[in-house]
Amino acid sequence: MRFVARRLLSVRRSFPRNLSMPSNEGIASTLHSSPFKVLVLGGSYAGLGAALNLLDLCEGRSPRFASQPADTSKFSKIPVKITLVDEKDGYFHLISSPLALASGEYAPKAWTNFRDIPALKDIHFIQGSVKNVDCDKKQAVVTESETGSSLGLEYDFLVAATGLRRVWPVVPQAKSRQAYLSEAAEHIEAVRKARDGVVVIGGGAVGIEMAAEIKLVMPDQKVTLIHSREKLCSSEPLPDDFKERCLITLHEAGVETIMGQRVLSTKSFPSDDGQPIWDLVLSDQSRIRAGHVIHAVSRSIPSTTYLHQSALDEEGYVQVTARLNVMPEVPNSLHHFAVGDIAKWSGIKRCGAAMHMGQYAAQNIHQLMLAQHQGINPEFMELKEIPPMIGIAIGKQAVAYYPSDGTTYGESVLKTCFGDDLGNSICWNYMQLGKECPS
């Protein structure tokens, strides 16, 4: 399964080391009088990365994700109006979902309303869902959440970053912070009251981390992970020593495992005090009893139904060029970008790659703006193939794989990849969300 959830090596190591601004030779000083309209669909890592880096560039600043400060003295400010659309009312740190759904103390820290993020003060936000994008007319239809009314939005450039649909409890389903906190509290209480222990079904990154975080937060709770294959992370193109180390580290965290067994059925019935008891039948016909069952196996579906079929592959992913434009068959393809999990590209879906794509899209849009109104020859950034890499937090340790380093693990790896809050501060600070952009 292709989950983003907490597949984070250190953000600093997630990106190729050759990031640099394109050359800006020959840029004229004349600015167009009307602002460019940029529509960003999706307010997670990729969408925020695209919006904030583009805002930096249009304001004449070095883009915040650049590995080295860029020389911005050769181009002037460009007037721009960036509109961000998201179904949720805030930024949710998706990587921390397993902990947010296990710890009542941590849960509030994972969700920040967009209106409370200083870096977004100059970006217009609409809470709603995208119904249709007409690439030919450069128009989008958005259904506003609060009123249910349809809004027609015109744009000059569009960045699609709507991510994947994932089922509960892989990620929260709530659209508001208040509803999310209620959803998380109910789940945490159900896990806490599970007198016959908790069973997590699925041994991918999400299942491993959910099992480990529950055991870390509730050390007295029995936690069992069941996986249908003999090795964890069996669907990912990762070396066997990584998968074996994940299993060892999971055991060291106190999680019990049942490997090579498929769960055929799950049935619940109330106990004498009304609390549910679950009966699970495995493929060898053995039975397991649990007080709570978490399904961490699902097929993530790209959220791309608003785009024309010509932009998508057979699974619904957006086919993109190395510049992150949609394919030339789509009308106005140079003005439409797709980034993050919905983009058809190599590598494991994770937040580091999503932010990286957001930066590239921003810089390429900026080059197109400069070319259109200042007569320069645009110099685009092209995304290279991304090899498999991953980091998984497992209790007080992490296990990571990076091509040049191989498999690494331990408490120091957890600190490097996730800090002390499952990457929340790393991502927040990298995107500079707490820093108000100068006007």
Side-chain angles (χ1 to χ4, degrees), residues 18-59:
N18 62 345
L19 290 185
S20 61
M21 277 290 295
S23 170
N24 295 293
E25 294 292 340
I27 295 178
S29 60
T30 304
L31 284 175
H32 191 263
S33 58
S34 61
F36 283 97
K37 295 188 290 285
V38 179
L39 182 59
V40 179
L41 307 178
S44 192
Y45 308 109
L48 291 179
L52 291 170
N53 279 276
L54 181 58
L55 188 62
D56 287 338
L57 287 162
C58 289
E59 287 293 323

Side-chain angles (χ1 to χ4, degrees), residues 2 237 320 324 340-341 343-350 353-354 356-357 383-389:
R2 306 174 73 181
V320 295
L324 294 170
D341 289 356
K344 180 78 171 182
W345 202 257
S346 58
I348 295 172
K349 302 294 186 183
R350 54 193 176 81
H356 183 44
M357 289 181 180
L383 191 65
K384 296 181 179 180
E385 293 296 309
I386 301 175
M389 61 182 80

Side-chain angles (χ1 to χ4, degrees), residues 60-348:
R61 297 187 296 268
S62 179
R64 62 193 61 205
F65 288 3
S67 57
Q68 297 178 351
D71 180 8
T72 60
S73 63
K74 297 179 182 179
F75 56 80
S76 303
K77 292 184 179 181
I78 295 178
V80 64
K81 179 182 178 182
I82 301 175
T83 299
L84 177 71
V85 178
D86 197 282
E87 293 181 345
K88 303 185 298 298
D89 68 3
Y91 159 70
F92 176 66
H93 181 53
L94 183 62
I95 294 172
S96 69
S97 186
L99 180 58
L101 296 176
S103 169
E105 179 182 358
Y106 180 82
K109 302 174 184 178
W111 188 301
T112 307
N113 287 343
F114 287 121
R115 66 173 181 268
D116 296 327
I117 298 178
L120 302 182
K121 76 175 184 67
D122 292 328
I123 294 175
H124 179 57
F125 170 67
I126 298 173
Q127 185 178 1
S129 56
V130 187
K131 293 304 179 185
N132 181 63
V133 168
D134 188 328
C135 297
D136 190 25
K137 296 180 180 179
K138 293 186 182 178
Q139 294 177 345
V141 177
V142 173
T143 300
E144 196 174 30
S145 297
E146 185 175 355
T147 65
S149 60
S150 293
L151 302 175
L153 302 175
E154 296 182 348
Y155 59 84
D156 297 301
F157 295 95
L158 181 137
V159 180
T162 42
L164 306 181
R165 298 284 184 190
R166 299 177 177 86
V167 299
W168 171 263
V170 172
V171 297
Q173 302 298 294
K175 306 304 181 188
S176 70
R177 187 175 191 274
Q178 183 177 359
Y180 150 72
L181 291 175
S182 176
E183 187 179 50
E186 290 180 8
H187 185 265
I188 292 166
E189 186 66 5
V191 171
R192 187 185 65 80
K193 288 183 175 180
R195 290 181 303 180
D196 290 294
V198 176
V199 166
V200 178
I201 301 174
V206 174
I208 293 170
E209 292 176 331
M210 293 194 83
E213 296 304 334
I214 290 171
K215 191 66 180 178
L216 180 65
V217 176
M218 306 177 192
D220 295 331
Q221 182 62 278
K222 179 183 178 182
V223 181
T224 304
L225 182 142
I226 302 175
H227 188 51
S228 61
R229 304 296 180 88
E230 295 296 337
K231 294 183 184 295
L232 297 174
C233 296
S234 52
S235 64
E236 300 292 6
L238 295 162
D240 285 347
D241 68 330
F242 172 85
K243 300 174 181 181
E244 292 164 2
R245 174 48 58 181
C246 285
L247 183 61
I248 293 170
T249 306
L250 197 60
H251 290 162
E252 291 174 348
V255 176
E256 300 178 19
T257 59
I258 298 174
M259 304 294 292
Q261 292 293 324
R262 188 176 300 278
V263 177
L264 299 180
S265 66
T266 59
K267 295 182 180 179
S268 67
F269 54 91
S271 63
D272 294 339
D273 61 1
Q275 295 297 318
I277 297 176
W278 290 85
D279 182 64
L280 289 75
V281 179
L282 307 185
S283 53
D284 65 355
Q285 299 304 310
S286 63
R287 306 176 87 94
I288 301 293
R289 175 170 286 193
H292 188 69
V293 176
I294 297 173
H295 291 268
V297 178
S298 68
R299 182 177 182 274
S300 299
I301 301 173
S303 180
T304 55
T305 54
Y306 55 88
L307 290 170
H308 191 271
Q309 190 63 39
S310 62
L312 311 176
D313 73 356
E314 64 280 0
E315 294 182 302
Y317 290 93
V318 185
Q319 302 182 89
V320 295
T321 70
R323 297 173 185 175
L324 294 170
N325 298 107
V326 299
M327 290 298 183
E329 294 78 15
V330 180
N332 294 308
S333 60
L334 289 180
H335 295 255
H336 293 81
F337 294 76
V339 294
D341 289 356
I342 64 170
K344 180 78 171 182
W345 202 257
S346 58
I348 295 172

